[in-house]
Amino acid sequence: MKRTIEYTLLILGAIFSLIGIVFAFIIKTFSKTPEFKSEFEKSFNEQIQGSQDVPSSVTADQMLNGFSAFGNFAIVILIISILLTVVAIVFVKKQRILSGVLAVIAGLMSILTLNVISFLLLIIAGIMLFVRKNKTNNQFEDVNFQNDIKHDQNQSENEFDSHEQQQNRIEETDKKKKDDDPYIY
């Protein structure tokens, strides 16, 4: 069965996770620059002074450290999510259930970083991998089944034939099957 939709969703989920890594890296980098720190402290202090009602126990440095820590967390989680997605892509055709489980886990990990688009794509791909079953190729099985039915009908018609004649017919039918089907040895 072609799994083009699942492949596409998994690849798009990995791409959006990669975009999330880039944004997390940018947040982490900008939160450490002196210009950003001074501008953030200035606007943070204005917000605190503007709202007289709410006393704040959080300082601007603590907020910046929180941004940096969230950036580190997001980078690590999204890298793990991408690795799980790549493994899921590899196993889509061979083991769809394993691939679906990995896609769902990768989606749940990406939502921890507030990467909603990646979450949705990976969860949808995982659900599709669980629901859509592989088509089996029963082409030869159907032909052999019909031959077996004809063989059984011939046997019932000739119930009074000797056992040896029936055995010869079975061998001839099997030989004919072998000659007709190149996959039977």
Side-chain angles (χ1 to χ4, degrees):
M1 166 180 262
K2 292 184 179 181
R3 300 233 176 237
T4 308
I5 297 171
E6 288 89 342
Y7 279 120
T8 305
L9 291 172
L10 288 170
I11 290 170
L12 286 174
I15 289 171
F16 279 106
S17 291
L18 187 62
I19 291 170
I21 289 174
V22 170
F23 281 135
F25 186 73
I26 289 171
I27 288 172
K28 181 181 172 199
T29 305
F30 277 120
S31 68
K32 298 220 181 219
T33 60
E35 296 89 23
F36 182 78
K37 281 183 180 181
S38 64
E39 197 63 36
F40 183 77
E41 286 176 2
K42 182 180 175 184
S43 64
F44 185 78
N45 290 333
E46 287 175 4
Q47 286 290 331
I48 295 297
Q49 290 175 358
S51 63
Q52 301 283 333
D53 303 342
V54 181
S56 176
S57 61
V58 178
T59 64
D61 286 334
Q62 290 174 335
M63 288 289 284
L64 288 173
N65 289 337
F67 286 148
S68 179
F70 180 75
N72 290 336
F73 172 76
I75 289 171
V76 170
I77 292 295
L78 289 175
I79 287 174
I80 293 171
S81 175
I82 288 175
L83 291 175
L84 289 174
T85 305
V86 169
V87 172
I89 290 170
V90 169
F91 287 114
V92 164
K93 285 208 174 195
K94 294 178 184 174
Q95 296 180 354
R96 66 177 177 85
I97 300 296
L98 173 66
S99 184
V101 168
L102 292 174
V104 168
I105 292 171
L108 292 174
M109 289 183 79
S110 68
I111 196 66
L112 293 175
T113 62
L114 305 176
N115 193 348
V116 177
I117 297 172
S118 178
F119 166 74
L120 291 174
L121 292 171
L122 292 173
I123 293 294
I124 291 170
I127 291 171
M128 288 181 72
L129 285 166
F130 288 134
V131 173
R132 292 179 60 198
K133 298 188 188 304
N134 293 336
K135 290 182 181 175
T136 58
N137 190 359
N138 292 333
Q139 176 183 356
F140 294 114
E141 292 176 14
D142 292 339
V143 171
N144 291 336
F145 181 69
Q146 290 173 355
N147 287 338
D148 290 341
I149 291 174
K150 289 178 185 175
H151 176 70
D152 290 341
Q153 288 173 349
N154 288 337
Q155 244 183 357
S156 65
E157 291 173 358
N158 300 322
E159 284 181 8
F160 300 109
D161 287 347
S162 69
H163 178 67
E164 190 174 89
Q165 290 174 342
Q166 289 178 354
Q167 190 66 27
N168 287 339
R169 282 193 192 114
I170 291 172
E171 289 174 4
E172 288 174 8
T173 306
D174 289 341
K175 185 177 182 207
K176 185 177 180 189
K177 283 183 189 177
K178 288 180 182 178
D179 292 339
D180 290 344
D181 191 357
Y183 295 105
I184 298 177
Y185 298 104

